[in-house]
Structures are given as C-alpha cells and as structure tokens.
Amino acid sequence: MEQPLKYLEQLKNHDWLISKNSQDFYKIATEIYLQLSQLSTQEKPPKIILAEREPVRFLASFIAACAAKCPVFLCNPDWGKDEWEQVLDLVQPDIVWGLDNINLQPSITNYPLPITNAIMIPTGGSSGKIKFAIHTWETLMASVQGFTEYFQLNTVNSFCILPLYHVSGLMQFMRSFITGGKLVITPFKEIESYQLLNINVSDFFISLVPTQLQRLLQNPPLTQWLSQFQTVLLGGAPAWDELLEKAKFYQIRLAPTYGMTETASQIATLKPDDFLHGKINSGHILPHAQITIDNLTGNLHIQAKSLALGYYPQLWKNPGNFSVDDIGFLDPEGYLHIIGRSSNKIITGGENIYPAEIESAIRKTNLIIDVCVIGIPDKYWGQALTAIYIPKHPNTSALEIETQLKNQLSKFKIPKYWIPLENLPYNAQGKINRQQIQQIAEDFLVNNTNLKNDFYRCRLG
C-alpha cells in the first residue's frame, strides 16, 4: 500500500477532520485513487492541476494523487486570466480538477516530467510570475518530522485558516494527517464574524500572517480567543515591532517563523515561551535544516531535508543547497535574525537602505495603519525612497510623520515621497505585492508631478 494511503487507512474511522463535508473525505480519496490507479498504469502518469475550492475535496484529491504517484500541481482557483494562461502554458495538464469552463489549448511545450511522483507547490505570484517548487512526499514528510521533533510532539492538532494550495496551509494538513492529530479548516472571514467552533483550542496550533494577527488583535473577544491557543505560528511576511509588542501584551503564545515554499514551510521558529520572555527573532533552526551565513554579503544558505528539488520543469543541479535573497545573522545563542532582502535593498545617493528598518520606524510613530517603503527611479538620487502608507486619520500629514522620524533615522533614510492610499495590495498569504505597489507609486508620481501638499512632497535632501 502506498504511504499516503497507509495514513488514510489509519484515520479511516477517526473523527480527525473538522470541516464541512468532512465525512466525505475517505470516500472521495479512495474513489479518486482507484480511478487514477487505472490511468497510471500507462507509461506516463497524468499531470493533474488541483484547484478545488471545497477544502475536503481538495485534500482528498491531493492524497489520491500522491498515492497514485501522479504529478499534482496545486493551484489557486482565484488566479486571473493572465495567470491561468501562464500556468496552463507551463503545465499542459492532462486532468484539471476544480475549474469550470476552462479552455485548454493543445500541448505545445510538452515539458518532460523530471520525476513522476512530484508535488508542485506555487510560489512567486506576488512578483507577477508563478513558479512551481518541485516537492515530493518525502520532502513534506521531512518538514513534518522536523516540526514534531522541534516541538517535542507526537500529535499535532492544526487550526487552518490559510489557503490549502499554499505551503502554509498544506503543511498544516500534513502535520495533522501524518501524526493522527485533529485538523480544523475554516475561512478567516468566519472567525472575524465570530463563527467560532465549540472546541478546546488550547490543544491546537494556528498559523497566521501578520495582517491577520493585526485584525484579530483589534477585536477584544477574538484577542481573548487567540490567547487560548497552544501556539500561534506567525509567518508569510515580516512582522513589525508594534504588532509583536501588542501580541506579547495580550499573552499570545506567538511563534514567529522563517521558511518558504522551497523549504516546505518553516526551518526556524521562535518558541512561544521565548517570545513571551522578550525574544524577538526567528528562533532556532529546526533539526531537519541547517543555515549558514555568507560572511561578505550576509545572505543565507540553506540545507534541508525538506528542500524542494527545483522549479518545474527543471531540477536543480546542486540539490540540497539553496541560496536565498534574505540577509541575516545567527547570534551567539543560535537564534536567527532576518534583516531584510538583498533584492529589496534601495540604493539612494550611494547609501544602502533596507525597507524593513524604515517601515518599522514609520509604524512606531503610531500615525499610520500600514506602510510599504520602496525605491523609485530618480535622476538625482538613483532611487528615491518612497513611502506608500495608510494614514490612521484622514488629516494625518506626511510632515507630522517626518517630524517624528527625524529623531529616529538619519536624514537619508527619511522618505522623499509620501503617497497615501486607502488600502495596500496583499496576496492571500499576507505578502505585499511589490510589483503592484511599484506601479501605483510610479503612476501617482507621473500624474502628480507638480503636486506639493502634506501628503505628497518631492524634495532634494
């Protein structure tokens, strides 16, 4: 019996899945597995796009595809037309689950499958180009084993409100499925509308992105509910100091994490007790991974048993080693600190600036709700530091914010352009869409060249 099916059989008569239509999970998974087993007797197993909206059907289909050793591509059903055209051209699937009225074109690329039993997880959507990290059942298992060993657990109960097609949601399922723990699946909007299940959440892990944590902490009853969880994993995007301080004040058992799609989620995590005792970093490295730091650049180099094998359709030439854009350091106690990303580095007037530092300082003024700092092309500075922000009050001026920043930051680190918005563009994983932000800023500046007021001011020095 194939390994995924073995775990499925073990949970057959257990009430482990808490979701609408959860009673259908085993039936759907076994039926689809039998269908795929017949198709997979052919020389080439069918390539499957999985974009089911209904969580139980998504997970049952995923397990069936893994058990039948069919390559499966996890996809976001809400991708737009351009994104779907990009994905279909790349994948050229044989089977599509979850999409209606889709016009499949004849195969023109016909990429050879590097391995047949691959699990392709999407990444890179926020940059405008979707890629699929090539994983296997073994790499996902390595992530689960590293997690359970790090937290010294035999069983993991997960409360999932993140997308299942994304690594952050998928790995919550894997941890519970593999260890025999309970898995709750519910939309975040139901939590915000107080549709809370009558379960003891003190036995559960929940995973959030910073924007979700922020919204829950703005609501006293939901803050109280969140404080009851065994552990609140926080990842997907950098969290700001004010948010972390607020979580600590309310005794949220927060566990900030560092990881990515390519590593099958977290490879470093700060344990809740460390967080509540004042630590603010990404924690220690999990046992299935190693991180080394480039002495010259500060870039991270990752080795992990959970590491992807490449990006579809190419396998990496040097598997097991992955150099990333993130810059950080390991302190003497072995805690990982992430400073920023080298690709986000802004060079203005010959000075190197990392947006995370500026964004943190702006948030500390308590005059904004959210902010993103970028660099835009500038003939004088090379790049001009630009803050796109949501003011806390309509009459909040950029001058007020700058006045507070003068005591915190060097002059060259204070943004030269200030652009107020009602909302900032985030994706489903809580990551800012920097490509869209860049376009918004450049369009705004082109259309407001002569505009000089409290919200938008261009100056030299």
Side-chain angles (χ1 to χ4, degrees):
M1 185 180 295
E2 301 299 340
Q3 197 176 42
L5 216 56
K6 178 189 75 175
Y7 289 106
L8 181 65
E9 287 291 333
Q10 289 174 352
L11 296 174
K12 178 180 178 180
N13 298 315
H14 291 259
D15 186 21
W16 67 280
L17 182 57
I18 304 172
S19 181
K20 295 176 182 176
N21 306 315
S22 59
Q23 70 280 359
D24 298 331
F25 179 83
Y26 180 83
K27 179 183 177 183
I28 296 172
T30 51
E31 286 179 353
I32 295 176
Y33 168 71
L34 292 174
Q35 295 170 11
L36 291 177
S37 295
Q38 295 176 345
L39 292 172
S40 295
T41 58
Q42 304 169 8
E43 184 177 334
K44 186 176 73 171
K47 285 185 287 185
I48 300 169
I49 274 185
L50 175 53
E52 295 281 2
R53 290 184 180 277
E54 204 282 310
V56 171
R57 190 161 190 89
F58 180 98
L59 294 174
S61 302
F62 170 75
I63 285 299
C66 291
K69 295 186 177 181
C70 292
V72 58
F73 294 76
L74 309 187
C75 294
N76 178 1
D78 292 319
W79 279 333
K81 181 176 179 292
D82 290 345
E83 291 164 315
W84 271 116
E85 286 180 353
Q86 179 191 145
V87 168
L88 291 172
D89 182 59
L90 174 66
V91 177
Q92 295 294 317
D94 300 298
I95 298 173
V96 177
W97 289 331
L99 292 181
D100 297 323
N101 302 319
I102 190 165
N103 183 21
L104 289 175
Q105 300 298 319
S107 179
I108 53 175
T109 50
N110 196 27
Y111 290 124
L113 281 166
I115 51 176
T116 57
N117 59 332
I119 299 165
M120 263 64 77
I121 306 178
T123 183
S126 62
S127 64
K129 185 177 181 181
I130 297 168
K131 298 183 293 186
F132 288 95
I134 304 171
H135 277 283
T136 64
W137 186 261
E138 288 71 29
T139 63
L140 302 189
M141 284 284 289
S143 177
V144 172
Q145 290 163 358
F147 183 94
T148 55
E149 184 178 342
Y150 185 72
F151 283 101
Q152 297 182 327
L153 298 168
N154 293 318
T155 302
V156 181
N157 298 319
S158 302
F159 197 106
C160 183
I161 58 175
L162 294 173
L164 293 170
Y165 63 82
H166 190 266
V167 71
S168 56
L170 180 69
M171 291 312 301
Q172 290 178 76
F173 160 72
M174 287 293 292
R175 291 174 200 135
S176 294
F177 185 71
I178 297 303
T179 66
K182 291 187 178 296
L183 174 67
V184 175
I185 305 175
T186 189
F188 183 65
K189 63 182 179 181
E190 291 190 5
I191 301 299
E192 285 194 300
S193 60
Y194 302 101
Q195 297 179 51
L196 305 178
L197 299 173
N198 185 24
I199 60 171
N200 181 10
V201 297
S202 64
D203 296 328
F204 282 78
F205 283 74
I206 187 172
S207 295
L208 301 174
V209 297
T211 52
Q212 291 173 327
L213 176 61
Q214 180 186 42
R215 285 156 70 173
L216 292 178
L217 292 182
Q218 290 171 346
N219 186 308
L222 294 180
T223 299
Q224 173 61 26
W225 174 76
L226 191 62
S227 69
Q228 297 172 33
F229 276 86
Q230 176 183 349
T231 304
V232 179
L233 299 167
L234 185 68
W240 48 99
D241 291 347
E242 181 187 6
L243 181 65
L244 296 175
E245 286 297 325
K246 194 171 184 180
K248 181 183 173 186
F249 176 82
Y250 288 111
Q251 291 294 290
I252 307 299
R253 292 187 56 76
L254 207 63
T257 70
Y258 173 77
M260 60 205 72
T261 305
E262 291 84 353
T263 59
S265 75
Q266 66 210 72
I267 53 171
T269 302
L270 184 68
K271 290 184 177 178
D273 288 341
D274 282 345
F275 171 77
L276 292 175
H277 283 94
K279 296 282 188 184
I280 298 180
N281 52 58
S282 297
H284 287 119
I285 313 302
L286 271 62
H288 68 289
Q290 290 181 311
I291 293 178
T292 55
I293 312 293
D294 188 298
N295 291 330
L296 294 177
T297 65
N299 283 92
L300 275 60
H301 300 283
I302 298 169
Q303 293 179 304
K305 295 177 182 178
S306 63
L307 196 59
L309 307 182
Y311 295 119
Y312 181 80
Q314 299 294 326
L315 295 177
W316 289 327
K317 293 180 179 179
N318 188 22
N321 292 278
F322 189 54
S323 297
V324 295
D325 199 28
D326 298 306
I327 296 172
F329 66 93
L330 291 164
D331 68 22
E333 294 179 287
Y335 291 96
L336 176 66
H337 299 254
I338 301 297
I339 299 171
R341 308 198 72 183
S342 56
S343 63
N344 292 340
K345 181 175 69 175
I346 299 166
I347 303 176
T348 179
E351 300 284 357
N352 293 338
I353 297 174
Y354 292 96
E357 178 191 6
I358 315 305
E359 291 165 356
S360 176
I362 294 172
R363 286 191 174 97
K364 285 178 181 177
T365 66
N366 205 31
L367 294 172
I368 59 99
I369 296 172
D370 202 358
V371 64
C372 178
V373 171
I374 61 171
I376 62 168
D378 185 274
K379 286 187 283 188
Y380 186 87
W381 298 101
Q383 286 180 292
L385 207 60
T386 303
I388 300 91
Y389 67 105
I390 304 173
K392 185 165 285 190
H393 304 290
N395 59 349
T396 300
S397 70
L399 183 60
E400 289 179 78
I401 302 172
E402 282 195 2
T403 300
Q404 292 199 29
L405 292 178
K406 286 178 180 177
N407 295 324
Q408 299 181 52
L409 298 174
S410 302
K411 188 177 181 181
F412 68 87
K413 292 184 178 180
I414 296 177
K416 294 176 172 58
Y417 297 90
W418 294 84
I419 301 174
L421 295 178
E422 292 184 0
N423 294 288
L424 297 186
Y426 283 90
N427 63 19
Q429 291 74 55
K431 294 183 180 180
I432 196 78
N433 189 325
R434 290 190 173 270
Q435 185 184 48
Q436 191 174 342
I437 281 283
Q438 194 82 27
Q439 191 62 54
I440 289 171
E442 292 181 11
D443 289 348
F444 187 92
L445 296 179
V446 167
N447 295 328
N448 296 276
T449 304
N450 299 316
L451 182 61
K452 292 183 180 180
N453 57 31
D454 285 340
F455 284 122
Y456 166 81
R457 298 183 301 113
C458 174
R459 51 182 170 62
L460 300 179

